[in-house]
Amino acid sequence: MPIKFENVGIAVRDLEAAIAFFTDLGLTVLGRDTVSGEWADTAVGLDGNHARIALLQTPDGNGRLELFEYIHPDVIETEPTRPNEIGMHRVAFSVDSIDEALKVAARHGCHPLRGVATYGDVYKLTYVRGPSGIIVMLAQDLKKG
């Protein structure tokens, strides 16, 4: 059976703030919609599902994020995940310049959890806490270019 990666879906507190963050990092918005109805309830497994969504794509066309902000039912606030918790961990992006990416993130109030690390002579990388507490990994390939 052929399989193809489609996207990562992330519930956010503020759709516009999340879109601003990810588009400033370089993703583009492919589309936006408001979804509800029986089909949405069935697909998601949540009665009364009503959400605003946006689909974003990386510049190379290979990665997509579906961001959604619930209108109904009410959102459930949770503590931001920690790197060692079971479950959805993070979304990762390759960047040409980690320093430039961190400047973009800082404009949105998002900063490294601890700092920037170097993995051998291969990558510079860091985790930042993005909008709605999303952990975003930024990685710069030191061998590229």
Side-chain angles (χ1 to χ4, degrees), residues 12-91:
V12 297
R13 185 176 303 108
D14 181 336
L15 185 63
E16 298 309 318
I19 290 171
F21 175 82
F22 288 111
T23 57
D24 278 358
L25 280 177
L27 280 73
T28 56
V29 177
L30 293 180
R32 298 170 71 122
D33 201 359
T34 300
V35 296
S36 64
E38 185 177 333
W39 75 269
D41 291 358
T42 300
V44 175
L46 185 63
D47 291 335
N49 178 28
H50 189 189
R52 296 181 329 124
I53 64 171
L55 186 63
L56 288 78
Q57 181 172 275
T58 57
D60 65 2
N62 292 324
R64 291 183 178 179
L65 290 180
E66 182 179 320
L67 304 174
F68 40 95
E69 177 184 359
Y70 277 94
I71 298 166
H72 185 268
D74 291 338
V75 297
I76 299 170
E77 289 289 340
T78 60
E79 292 295 318
T81 58
R82 295 170 35 120
N84 62 331
E85 287 185 71
I86 300 297
M88 184 68 184
H89 187 225
R90 59 159 168 73
V91 58

Side-chain angles (χ1 to χ4, degrees), residues 129-142:
R129 183 72 66 189
S132 298
I134 301 164
I135 296 177
V136 178
M137 186 182 96
L138 302 170
Q140 178 183 339
D141 185 343
L142 296 175

Side-chain angles (χ1 to χ4, degrees), residues 24-25 95-107 140:
D24 278 358
L25 280 177
V95 296
D96 290 336
S97 167
I98 204 160
D99 295 329
E100 290 303 313
L102 286 173
K103 288 178 187 175
V104 170
R107 288 196 301 263
Q140 178 183 339

